Amino acid sequence: MQRAALFSGGDAQMAAGDLGELLVPYMPTIRVPKSGDRVYKTECAFSYDSPDSEGGLYVCMNTFLGFGREHIERHYRKTGQCVYLHLKRHVMEKVPGASGGALPKRRNAKLFLDLETNGDLNSDDFEYEDEAKLVIFPDHYEISLPNIEELPALVTIACDALLSAKSPYRKQDPDSWEEELQASKHAKTLVQLDNGVRIPPSGWKCSKCDLRENLWLNLTDGSVLCGKWFFDGSGGNGHAMEHYKETGYPLAVKLGTITPDGADVYSFDEEEPVLDPHIAKHLAHFGIDMLQMQVTENGLRDNDIKPRVSEWEVIQEAGVKLKPMYGPGYTGMKNLGNSCYLNAVMQAIFSIPEFQRAYVGNLPRIFDYSPLDPTQDFNTQMAKLGHGLLSGQYSKPPMKSELIEQVMKEEHKPQHNGISPRMFKAFISKGHTEFSSNRQQDAQEFFLHLINLVERNPVGSENPSDVFRFLVEERTQCCQSRKVRYTERVDYIMQLPVAMEAATNKDELIAYELKRREAEAARRPPPELVRAKIPFRACLQAFSEPNNVEDFWSSALQAKSAGVKTSRFASFPEYLVVQIKKFTFGLDWIPKKLDVSIDMPDFLDINHLRARGLQPGEEELPDIAPPIIIPDDPKALDIDESSVMQLAEMGFPLEACRKAVYYTGNLGAEVAFNWIIAHMEEPDFAEPLVIPAFGEVASSGAAAFGAVGLDNQPPEEMVSIIISMGFPRNLAIQALKATNSNLERALEWIFNHPELEEESEPALDMMDMENNANANILAETGSEGPQIKDGSGRYELFGFISHMGTSTMSGHYVCHLKKEGRWVIYNDLRVCASERPPKDLGYIYFYHRIPS
C-alpha cells in the first residue's frame, strides 16, 4: 500500500506545530514495525473484537497488540503506553439513485484494512469504509488520519507501516495453515466443453494408464487422469500434466477430495493449489452434485429425491429443518481451513462446568495478571475462547424485519455471529508439526494435546483436566507359570474397539459388498449403503477381554513366554471420554475408517470393570529385568514395520520413522514418536538408518538399545525419551539405572515409585513436547502429583463428536451437545437445535458421572 493512498488530503484539526508538540513526549514509545514483528490489527488479544466491532480496535504503537474498547484501559494501566492507532470499519447503506438504483455514498471511501467482508450483507446495497486515527491516552485525544503534512515524519511512517503490515498468522512455510489459497484467475471465465461426459461416483481410473489413485478430473473436458508432480506428493504417471500441455485446459480437481465444503483444485497454468469459487457449478457440469448434502436456508434440500444414508448427510442432519440457536453457549466457530477438529473439541470442552469455572470464571484475574504479550499465554487464550463461546456476545439473533427499515436509515451495525479462533489455533499449535499445518487432524489426538497443555499451565488451585484423569490397572499374566504382575498408569480416554465380528446384519453386509464390487466393475453407481450394526455390549466385551502380549519376557521363567494382559479401571473419572477405534490400517498400510453404527447408550454402567488388585491365590512375577541380549548380527534386528507406517502416516520421513522404531527397541509407535520429537532438529534426522556393528558408536546418540554406557550411565537416547514424556531428568536416570536400562521396565519403575517423582524437579515447560498416546500425558501441575477423582462408574451421555470421511487425514468433524434438556448440533459456525442426533455414528463420546 502506498503512503499517498493512506495519507492524502483531509482537514487539519490543529496546526502542524501543535500536533508535533503534542506528540513529542510520546515519540520514544512509537515504533515502526520491522520484519518479524507481529502486528495484530484485526483482532483483540483478549476478545474477538475487531475493526468491524462497534468500538473498533486500538493497536498499540509500541507493541502492535490490538485491544477492543473493553480492554484498552487495562493495557494502558499496565504498560503506560499512551499512543494507539484506532481502526474502524464502517458498513454503509448505499444511497438510492434517482432511477431507483443504488449509488455509493462516498466520503473519502478507502479500504485499507485486511478484513473479511460480512457475507450476510448484499454488496449491491452496502459498501465498506475504513477509518484510522491516532488516540492519545488517558485523555482520549484523537488525531484523524490522513494527516501527513501535520504529523511528524516518524509517526507517519509508523502508521503507514502498521497499516501495511501482513497478517501475523502468515508464515514463510507454504504448508502452513495460515497461508490461505487464492482464487484462480481461470475460475470465473473457465470454458467447459458440452461433450456429454458424466463422472460416476466411484470406479474411476486414469484414461491413459488405468491407475486408480491420485486421479484428477479436468474441469474443462472431464478427462480423468493421474497426477505426478502435485502438492500432496502422491505418485502417478503425470498424465494430467501432459493433458494440460496438449490442450491448455488449466484447472483440475482431485477425485476423492470433493465434499460439501469444497475440493482440492490445482491450476496447471498458475502452478499451485487454488480456490475455485464456482466449483459447485463446474462439477455439476459433469453430473457431480457436491452440494447434495448442503442445506438451504429453510433447512430442506432442493433435490431430496430419496432417503440418504451417507455419513455426511446423517451426521449433519441434512434434509431436516433445523432451528438456529443464539445466545450464551450457542456460539459457532469459523472453520479456518480443516480446523473443524479443533472447533468440535473446544465446544465440548467448554460445555463442562469445571473448564467454565477455571477459565471464564477466573477471566478478570487471568487477564489482569497476563504477561505483556497475552497472545502467547495459554490461560489468556483459553479464557478468551471460553468467554467468546459462553458470553453470547458473538451469537445474536438477526434483527426483526419490522426494525430493519428503521435501522437502515442510520449506519448499519452488523451482528457478530460466531468467532474466528485464529489467534487460539496459532498459539496452541505452535511447535507442533501436524496441528500447525493446514491438514485435517485427529480430534482425539488434539484432545490429548490440549489436556497436555492444560496440565502444564495451571490456573489457580483447580486443575480442570482432573475431571478426565483416571487410573488404569494392567494385569499381565505369564501363561506358563500363571504368575501375574499388576501395574497402574494414568489415562484420559477409554479406547473402545469395534467388534466387527459381532455385527448383527452380516448377511446384508455380504450382499452389499457383492453388489458394490459388481457396480464398480461395471462403472455403475454403487448400491445404497449398508452399514454394519455393532452392539455396544460387544465392544465393551472386547475391551474387557485379555490381549496377547507380543514378545513377553517372563521373569518367572527367565525366558520369553506367552503372556496376556487385561485392563481395568483403578478409578473412574468425573467425565468419561470414550473413543471408538474406527480408524485402522488396511493390508497396504493405507489408513481407513470403519463405517459402522454402534448403539451407544444414553446411560452407561461400567462398575463391573472396576479393578480388584492382587487376588488371593495369585503369585506375583519376580521383579527381575530381562538380560541384555546382543544379537550376533546387529543388522539383522527386526524393525516393527507397523509402527513405522503409523509414524509415516503422521507425515514424518520414512527413514526417520525407521530410526525411531529401531532406537526405541520396537516398543511401539507411541514411544518412537517421542524419539522423533527429541531428534527432529538434528541434521541427519531423515538420513537412512545405519545400524552400527557391535562395539561401534551409534550416531544421533543412538546407543544400542538396552546397553549401558562404560561410565555406568544409561544411554542418553533413553533418558531423552523418558524426559519427553514429562518426567525430570534425574528421575529418568534413576529409573534406567534401577532396571538395567530397560525402557519399558523403567517406565513401570517410575509408576511404582511415585514418591520419588514428588521430590524431583518439575518437568520442563516445552511447548513442542507432545505425545499422541493416552498414557504419555504425564506432566505434573503440582508437587502432589495428578489428582484422581474416583467415584461411581455410572454415567450419562451429554455430548459426542462425529467424523465424516475415510480417514483422520480428511473429512469433517461435527459436535452434538445436550444443553438445557435438548440436543444441539455445532457444525462450525452453524449452531442449531438437533432433530435427529446421530448417536450411533459418533467417534468420541462424552459422559458425566451420575451422582450416587
Side-chain angles (χ1 to χ4, degrees):
M1 187 179 307
Q2 299 299 319
R3 187 182 306 169
L6 296 176
F7 303 104
S8 59
D11 299 326
Q13 292 183 335
M14 299 180 63
D18 294 337
L19 278 179
E21 238 177 85
L22 179 67
L23 289 167
V24 163
Y26 311 110
M27 294 295 282
T29 68
I30 297 175
R31 293 177 53 228
V32 177
K34 299 178 182 178
S35 176
D37 282 335
R38 294 189 296 263
V39 178
Y40 295 94
K41 60 179 179 178
T42 59
E43 181 181 352
C44 173
F46 293 107
S47 71
Y48 292 93
D49 286 348
S50 71
D52 276 321
S53 304
E54 186 175 351
L57 191 74
Y58 295 83
V59 182
C60 174
M61 294 297 292
N62 182 267
T63 63
F64 313 123
L65 295 169
F67 302 96
R69 186 191 302 179
E70 293 182 11
H71 303 285
I72 183 63
E73 292 284 352
R74 175 187 289 107
H75 186 257
Y76 162 69
R77 291 194 306 269
K78 179 180 288 190
T79 65
Q81 175 63 27
C82 297
V83 183
Y84 297 84
L85 185 63
H86 181 255
L87 305 175
K88 180 74 176 79
R89 169 162 289 184
H90 302 276
V91 183
M92 313 295 297
E93 183 185 15
K94 292 182 179 179
V95 179
S99 61
L103 295 177
K105 183 193 299 182
R106 296 192 177 276
R107 298 182 318 177
N108 191 27
K110 299 274 191 293
L111 288 180
F112 49 80
L113 296 178
D114 186 17
L115 299 175
E116 296 176 358
T117 57
N118 190 333
D120 296 332
L121 298 181
N122 188 331
S123 59
D124 294 333
D125 300 325
F126 300 93
E127 65 176 349
Y128 296 93
E129 182 176 310
D130 293 340
E131 178 186 22
K133 55 189 174 185
L134 286 173
V135 180
I136 302 176
F137 281 71
D139 299 325
H140 293 264
Y141 186 84
E142 298 181 356
I143 303 173
S144 296
L145 301 177
N147 241 326
I148 188 170
E149 296 178 357
E150 290 78 16
L151 290 175
L154 174 65
V155 178
T156 299
I157 295 171
C159 291
D160 184 34
L162 190 149
L163 291 171
S164 304
K166 299 294 184 183
S167 165
Y169 308 114
R170 288 187 178 271
K171 294 182 179 179
Q172 297 299 317
D173 179 8
D175 196 34
S176 158
W177 67 271
E178 296 88 350
E179 195 67 35
E180 299 176 356
L181 299 180
Q182 300 299 315
S184 170
K185 64 183 180 181
H186 301 288
K188 189 175 182 180
T189 58
L190 184 72
V191 175
Q192 293 187 282
L193 303 183
D194 191 10
N195 53 12
V197 172
R198 291 294 181 267
I199 305 300
S202 62
W204 316 299
K205 65 178 181 178
C206 176
S207 60
K208 292 188 177 181
C209 67
D210 289 343
L211 272 181
R212 293 181 177 271
E213 58 184 19
N214 190 25
L215 299 176
W216 294 76
L217 169 67
N218 190 288
L219 290 175
T220 296
D221 63 359
S223 299
V224 176
L225 299 157
C226 63
K228 185 174 183 180
W229 301 289
F230 296 112
F231 60 99
D232 65 353
S234 0
N237 295 317
H239 290 137
M241 174 66 78
E242 290 178 8
H243 185 67
Y244 161 70
K245 292 179 179 178
E246 294 169 1
T247 62
Y249 300 154
L251 298 183
V253 61
K254 186 172 184 180
L255 294 174
T257 69
I258 302 169
T259 72
D261 298 317
D264 290 350
V265 180
Y266 189 86
S267 172
F268 299 102
D269 177 50
E270 295 158 285
E271 297 184 344
E272 63 179 352
V274 294
L275 292 178
D276 180 359
H278 308 283
I279 184 65
K281 182 183 74 172
H282 292 156
L283 290 173
H285 181 81
F286 299 111
I288 301 176
D289 185 5
M290 69 171 286
L291 300 180
Q292 64 181 358
M293 287 90 69
Q294 196 75 0
V295 178
T296 58
E297 289 183 0
N298 63 0
L300 300 175
R301 286 193 308 272
D302 296 328
N303 57 345
D304 194 10
I305 300 172
K306 61 185 181 69
R308 300 182 186 272
V309 294
S310 78
E311 275 187 323
W312 290 86
E313 296 151 308
V314 177
I315 290 175
Q316 296 186 103
E317 303 188 53
V320 181
K321 185 174 183 179
L322 301 180
K323 177 185 176 183
M325 304 287 284
Y326 301 98
Y330 300 105
T331 303
M333 297 173 68
K334 181 182 177 183
N335 192 324
L336 305 172
N338 286 329
S339 65
C340 51
Y341 67 91
L342 179 148
N343 295 350
V345 170
M346 297 315 299
Q347 292 284 10
I349 286 291
F350 276 111
S351 71
I352 296 174
E354 284 78 0
F355 279 85
Q356 296 174 0
R357 288 197 302 269
Y359 295 104
V360 183
N362 286 322
L363 184 140
R365 183 178 65 84
I366 292 173
F367 283 2
D368 286 342
Y369 290 94
S370 64
L372 292 180
D373 187 356
T375 68
Q376 302 302 303
D377 180 62
F378 176 76
N379 291 331
T380 299
Q381 293 308 309
M382 281 287 284
K384 169 184 171 178
L385 181 66
H387 180 264
L389 294 176
L390 300 174
S391 65
Q393 239 176 277
Y394 308 98
S395 177
K396 298 177 181 179
M399 294 175 291
K400 294 181 179 180
S401 57
E402 60 266 20
L403 296 178
I404 293 180
E405 184 177 352
Q406 177 183 347
V407 173
M408 288 305 176
K409 291 180 180 178
E410 302 177 1
E411 182 174 324
H412 179 76
K413 299 176 182 178
Q415 299 292 332
H416 289 275
N417 284 322
I419 59 177
S420 176
R422 192 176 293 271
M423 187 179 292
F424 178 79
K425 185 179 189 299
F427 173 76
I428 201 171
S429 63
K430 184 175 63 176
H432 193 288
T433 307
E434 290 301 315
F435 298 135
S436 60
S437 75
N438 64 350
R439 297 183 292 272
Q440 184 63 276
Q441 302 299 329
D442 189 345
Q444 177 252 7
E445 292 181 7
F446 178 75
F447 170 80
L448 293 174
H449 175 69
L450 177 74
I451 297 303
N452 200 352
L453 293 176
V454 172
E455 296 268 316
R456 298 205 309 272
N457 293 274
V459 50
S461 58
E462 181 182 13
N463 180 359
S465 67
D466 289 347
V467 300
F468 297 124
R469 191 186 301 110
F470 59 93
L471 290 177
V472 176
E473 177 193 86
E474 291 187 336
R475 176 185 182 272
T476 306
Q477 183 174 35
C478 171
C479 296
Q480 189 169 342
S481 69
R482 312 302 296 172
K483 294 183 179 181
V484 297
R485 176 183 297 120
Y486 284 88
T487 58
E488 286 188 351
R489 60 177 173 83
V490 174
D491 215 333
Y492 295 82
I493 291 182
M494 178 186 187
Q495 293 184 311
L496 209 60
V498 177
M500 291 296 294
E501 68 282 356
T504 59
N505 58 341
K506 291 181 181 177
D507 292 342
E508 296 177 49
L509 292 171
I510 294 172
Y512 165 75
E513 184 61 22
L514 290 174
K515 292 179 182 178
R516 187 192 66 78
R517 292 181 180 179
E518 291 173 0
E520 183 175 333
R523 297 180 66 86
R524 297 195 310 266
E528 184 171 316
L529 176 69
V530 176
R531 185 175 285 114
K533 297 179 180 178
I534 313 295
F536 171 76
R537 64 180 181 276
C539 298
L540 201 59
Q541 178 65 29
F543 171 84
S544 62
E545 289 177 351
N547 295 312
N548 292 327
V549 181
E550 294 183 7
D551 294 325
F552 174 69
W553 187 85
S554 171
S555 58
L557 304 176
Q558 296 284 296
K560 285 190 175 184
S561 172
V564 293
K565 179 183 290 185
T566 55
S567 298
R568 293 291 185 270
F569 286 85
S571 68
F572 290 120
E574 187 73 21
Y575 288 82
L576 178 66
V577 182
V578 180
Q579 176 200 11
I580 305 299
K581 297 175 70 174
K582 291 186 173 184
F583 296 101
T584 182
F585 288 88
L587 296 177
D588 52 2
W589 292 110
I590 295 176
K592 65 177 183 178
K593 191 174 83 172
L594 303 175
D595 189 3
V596 297
S597 168
I598 301 177
D599 58 336
M600 295 296 293
D602 288 315
F603 296 93
L604 175 62
D605 189 341
I606 55 172
N607 277 304
H608 65 284
L609 295 178
R610 168 78 73 173
R612 297 179 299 170
L614 187 68
Q615 296 297 296
E618 289 184 334
E619 187 178 351
E620 289 190 271
L621 284 163
D623 190 11
I624 302 174
I628 301 172
I629 300 176
I630 300 175
D632 296 333
D633 181 6
K635 296 186 179 182
L637 182 66
D638 290 333
I639 295 178
D640 182 5
E641 292 298 333
S642 64
S643 297
V644 172
M645 294 307 299
Q646 288 184 55
L647 295 169
E649 291 298 338
M650 297 179 189
F652 300 115
L654 182 61
E655 288 299 331
C657 299
R658 289 177 57 81
K659 289 162 70 174
V661 173
Y662 170 72
Y663 289 133
T664 53
N666 286 328
L667 287 181
E670 295 85 359
V671 178
F673 180 85
N674 286 318
W675 187 96
I676 287 178
I677 295 300
H679 295 82
M680 286 183 66
E681 302 302 322
E682 295 180 359
D684 61 347
F685 173 68
E687 295 296 319
L689 170 64
V690 178
I691 301 176
F694 180 60
E696 292 182 6
V697 179
S699 62
S700 300
F705 178 71
V708 182
L710 296 177
D711 59 354
N712 203 31
Q713 289 294 316
E716 186 62 31
E717 186 64 35
M718 297 184 185
V719 175
S720 299
I721 292 172
I722 296 178
I723 290 175
S724 71
M725 295 179 182
F727 295 105
R729 178 181 178 84
N730 56 344
L731 183 63
I733 293 174
Q734 191 174 357
L736 288 168
K737 283 184 176 181
T739 57
N740 202 19
S741 292
N742 181 288
L743 185 58
E744 188 173 15
R745 298 285 292 127
L747 293 173
E748 292 181 3
W749 188 92
I750 290 175
F751 285 119
N752 292 330
H753 298 79
E755 71 282 355
L756 296 177
E757 189 176 359
E758 295 173 10
E759 300 169 2
S760 303
E761 60 183 5
L764 296 176
D765 184 13
M766 297 168 57
M767 277 300 302
D768 60 340
M769 183 188 72
E770 180 54 32
N771 198 314
N772 295 331
N774 301 357
N776 292 337
I777 301 182
L778 303 168
E780 306 288 342
T781 58
S783 60
E784 297 181 359
Q787 299 297 312
I788 303 299
K789 296 187 175 184
D790 197 7
S792 168
R794 295 178 63 247
Y795 294 93
E796 180 179 1
L797 181 69
F798 75 93
F800 59 95
I801 293 173
S802 307
H803 174 268
M804 296 152 278
T806 56
S807 79
T808 55
M809 310 307 290
S810 62
H812 183 58
Y813 285 96
V814 168
C815 179
H816 282 77
L817 296 171
K818 197 172 186 179
K819 292 191 173 183
E820 300 176 333
R822 73 170 303 166
W823 285 97
V824 179
I825 178 172
Y826 293 80
N827 189 355
D828 291 334
L829 282 172
R830 194 161 178 255
V831 181
C832 299
S834 173
E835 296 296 333
R836 300 174 185 171
K839 290 182 284 188
D840 60 322
L841 299 181
Y843 172 48
I844 301 174
Y845 293 85
F846 294 85
Y847 287 85
H848 66 81
R849 185 170 15 236
I850 300 174
S852 300

